[in-house]
C-alpha cells in the first residue's frame, strides 16, 4: 500500500511517514558528513518507528529502503557490542511477532530472505569473535539470535545448524562450568 492510497483519517500516518523519510535522509546526510553517532542515532530512530508501525519498507521518494537495510547499516556502524545486541533484540522480537503471519502478509511486511540470512551469518560470526575473546554472555546471546533466525534462511546456511548449535551449547557449558548462575543462563535462552 502506498502513502497516496491513504485517505481521510490516515493523514496523521502520512505525516508520520513524511517525518520518517526526513529522519532517514538526515541520517544519510550525517553519515556523508562523518557524523557517525548522529547518523546511528537517527537510523535507530527510523528503524524503531518503522518497527512500531509494522512497516518493513520506507519510500524515500524515488527509491525504497527496507527495515532490514537500515538494521544492517546500524549493525555495521555500531560502536559497541551492546549496540549490536539491542538491534538483534529488536530483530528477534519482530521475527517472533511476524513468524506466524501468512506468506502473503510476510511478503508485504517482513524481512527479505537475504536480510534474514545476512543477520544470521553476522550474528554467528560476531558470536564466534566474542567467544574467542572470552565474552561468553554476548557470544551466547548472538548464537541464540543466529539459531532463532536460521529457520527463515536458505539451505546454504541451514546446513550449518549443527555446528552453530554445538558452538552455542559449548558457550553455555563454559558458563555453567564457570559457575554462572542458572538464572543468567536461562535469561539468555529465553531472549
Amino acid at each position: 500500500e502506498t502513502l497516496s492510497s491513504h485517505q481521510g483519517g490516515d493523514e496523521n500516518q502520512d505525516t508520520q511517514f513524511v517525518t520518517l523519510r526526513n529522519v532517514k535522509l538526515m541520517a544519510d546526510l550525517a553519515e556523508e558528513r562523518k557524523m557517525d553517532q548522529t547518523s546511528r542515532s537517527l537510523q535507530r530512530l527510523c528503524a524503531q518507528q518503522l518497527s512500531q508501525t509494522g512497516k518493513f519498507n520506507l519510500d524515500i521518494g524515488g527509491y525504497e529502503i527496507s527495515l532490514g537495510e537500515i538494521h544492517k547499516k546500524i549493525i555495521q556502524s555500531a560502536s559497541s557490542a551492546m549496540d549490536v545486541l539491542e538491534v538483534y533484540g529488536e530483530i528477534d522480537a519482530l521475527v517472533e511477532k511476524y513468524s506466524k503471519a501468512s506468506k502473503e502478509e510476510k511478503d508485504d511486511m517482513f524481512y527479505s530472505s537475504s536480510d534474514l540470512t545476512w543477520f544470521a551469518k553476522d550474528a554467528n560470526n560476531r558470536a564466534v569473535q566474542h567467544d574467542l575473546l572470552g565474552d561468553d554472555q554476548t557470544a551466547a546471546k548472538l548464537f541464540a539470535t543466529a539459531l532463532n533466525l536460521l529457520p527463515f534462511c536458505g539451505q546454504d546456511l541451514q546446513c550449518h545448524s549443527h555446528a552453530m548449535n554445538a558452538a552455542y551449547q559449548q558457550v553455555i557449558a563454559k558458563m555453567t562450568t564457570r559457575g554462572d548462575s542458572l538464572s543468567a543462563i536461562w535469561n539468555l535462552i529465553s531472549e
Side-chain angles (χ1 to χ4, degrees):
E1 185 175 340
T2 64
L3 293 176
S4 60
S5 66
H6 294 290
Q7 295 182 9
D10 291 335
E11 286 179 24
N12 189 26
Q13 191 173 15
D14 288 348
T15 303
Q16 181 181 13
F17 283 106
V18 168
T19 302
L20 274 179
R21 275 185 241 152
N22 291 336
V23 169
K24 176 63 179 126
L25 292 170
M26 286 188 300
D28 292 345
L29 180 61
E31 181 182 17
E32 286 175 22
R33 296 198 175 166
K34 306 292 185 223
M35 300 167 62
D36 298 330
Q37 186 61 40
T38 301
S39 177
R40 268 194 304 274
S41 296
L42 291 170
Q43 299 278 5
R44 289 283 316 231
L45 176 63
C46 188
Q48 288 169 344
Q49 292 299 309
L50 279 173
S51 298
Q52 288 176 0
T53 62
K55 298 289 184 185
F56 282 78
N57 292 301
L58 180 63
D59 181 359
I60 302 291
Y63 72 97
E64 276 192 353
I65 187 161
S66 70
L67 179 58
E69 292 172 61
I70 295 170
H71 275 144
K72 283 186 219 177
K73 190 174 271 198
I74 297 167
I75 291 167
Q76 290 170 330
S77 67
S79 59
S80 72
M82 188 58 67
D83 291 344
V84 171
L85 289 174
E86 285 177 10
V87 176
Y88 277 124
E90 292 169 16
I91 292 168
D92 276 342
L94 285 170
V95 168
E96 173 84 21
K97 181 177 179 180
Y98 290 102
S99 65
K100 295 166 185 69
S102 70
K103 177 157 176 34
E104 294 78 32
E105 289 175 313
K106 283 183 189 173
D107 288 343
D108 288 340
M109 56 181 217
F110 200 63
Y111 294 109
S112 70
S113 177
S114 65
D115 285 344
L116 291 167
T117 299
W118 188 94
F119 294 142
K121 284 180 184 178
D122 182 73
N124 184 72
N125 291 341
R126 287 176 188 270
V128 169
Q129 291 171 341
H130 284 278
D131 183 26
L132 292 172
L133 293 171
D135 183 359
D136 295 334
Q137 286 209 347
T138 300
K141 288 177 183 179
L142 289 166
F143 276 132
T145 294
L147 289 168
N148 287 340
L149 296 175
L150 203 54
F152 304 100
C153 299
Q155 277 302 115
D156 59 323
L157 189 59
Q158 287 184 6
C159 68
H160 299 287
S161 64
H162 293 296
M164 293 166 73
N165 191 43
Y168 174 70
Q169 294 301 325
Q170 183 179 9
V171 169
I172 295 296
K174 283 194 295 187
M175 292 172 69
T176 304
T177 302
R178 193 176 57 238
D180 286 358
S181 71
L182 286 177
S183 64
I185 294 170
W186 282 111
N187 285 338
L188 291 173
I189 293 171
S190 67
E191 289 181 352

